[in-house]
Amino acid sequence: MTQIHGETVEEIKKETVRRMTRSVNDLGRAMASIRTGRASIALLDSIAVDYYGTLTPLSQMASLATPTSTTLTIQPWDISQIGMIERAIRMSDLGINPANDGKIIRLVIPPLTKERRRILVRQLHKVVEQHRVAVRNIRREANEAVKRLEKAKAISEDDRRTGLAEIQRLTNDSVKDINKAGLVKEKEILEIR
């Protein structure tokens, strides 16, 4: 990560907001890949296939669809790669066995057991905490940038206090958003359909 810089407290706040928003948005992408017992194309986002020596995201090699709430289909554009795609899915941490009919790969999402739900919730908590830490690191960098401005006599002590308070408010709002998103996803994981 690059340090936060700015000539004014306002510039530092803008950069802080941009980076904290990016962290909150990244949490959404990270949580989308956590299985909930419902089929979602986002489950396949982390899968990369060895395509003639180059790791290629699955979404760039095949059409992905969810014909039912518990089934995903993968239709490779290059049928000769169906075996490599199947192998990549098996090697992933999805825990789903692909069914291949020669043209299409089907993934049936099994219902989650109580134990698997607990494991997924623990995994979710780790992801949420990583994003909270990221936001706190952004706060630390922004605070240091504001303090550098005061030390350089570019702002007054009152401006520093106001800037630090505003950065703390931004941090609290971002952490609140992260916690809320984590609770929604946890409820979705624990919900038995």
Side-chain angles (χ1 to χ4, degrees):
M1 278 271 153
T2 59
Q3 273 193 340
I4 294 178
H5 296 286
E7 301 292 320
T8 65
V9 174
E10 202 56 45
E11 288 177 11
I12 292 170
K13 284 193 316 192
K14 283 182 184 175
E15 178 68 11
T16 302
V17 167
R18 188 181 67 72
R19 287 182 52 190
M20 285 184 178
T21 302
R22 195 170 6 151
S23 187
V24 171
N25 292 341
D26 183 64
L27 173 67
R29 283 188 289 281
M31 288 190 316
S33 66
I34 297 175
R35 199 159 70 101
T36 61
R38 188 179 309 140
S40 168
I41 291 174
L43 290 174
L44 304 173
D45 284 351
S46 63
I47 295 180
V49 180
D50 183 5
Y51 187 62
Y52 297 110
T54 304
L55 280 180
T56 308
L58 182 58
S59 61
Q60 294 178 12
M61 297 181 61
S63 295
L64 309 174
T66 53
T68 69
S69 65
T70 59
T71 307
L72 288 168
T73 59
I74 304 163
Q75 186 168 13
W77 295 318
D78 180 357
I79 298 297
S80 67
Q81 293 301 307
I82 204 159
M84 296 302 283
I85 293 172
E86 206 172 354
R87 186 173 302 123
I89 293 168
R90 282 203 174 93
M91 300 296 280
S92 73
D93 61 352
L94 284 180
I96 301 172
N97 274 330
N100 168 2
D101 71 1
K103 293 183 181 180
I104 293 178
I105 297 173
R106 285 184 176 71
L107 301 175
V108 177
I109 311 296
L112 296 173
T113 64
K114 200 178 249 186
E115 181 59 30
R116 182 70 179 145
R117 288 177 197 278
R118 278 192 229 118
I119 291 169
L120 290 173
V121 167
R122 280 196 299 268
Q123 181 183 349
L124 171 67
H125 287 201
K126 285 179 190 172
V127 169
V128 168
E129 183 57 28
Q130 288 169 349
H131 285 79
R132 277 193 218 111
V133 168
V135 166
R136 290 182 195 123
N137 287 338
I138 294 166
R139 175 192 59 195
R140 180 182 40 77
E141 290 175 19
N143 287 345
E144 288 171 2
V146 169
K147 290 174 185 175
R148 278 194 306 270
L149 286 180
E150 183 192 25
K151 191 173 183 180
K153 306 283 188 221
I155 61 171
S156 68
E157 187 178 335
D158 287 343
D159 290 340
R160 176 186 57 87
R161 276 195 212 115
T162 305
L164 294 178
E166 184 65 21
I167 290 167
Q168 184 59 48
R169 186 190 64 73
L170 294 170
T171 303
N172 292 344
D173 290 347
S174 294
V175 168
K176 194 181 302 178
D177 291 345
I178 288 170
N179 290 339
K180 189 188 315 181
L183 287 173
V184 168
K185 184 68 173 186
E186 184 175 346
K187 183 179 176 188
E188 195 176 304
I189 291 170
L190 294 174
E191 183 180 296
I192 298 174
R193 287 176 269 307

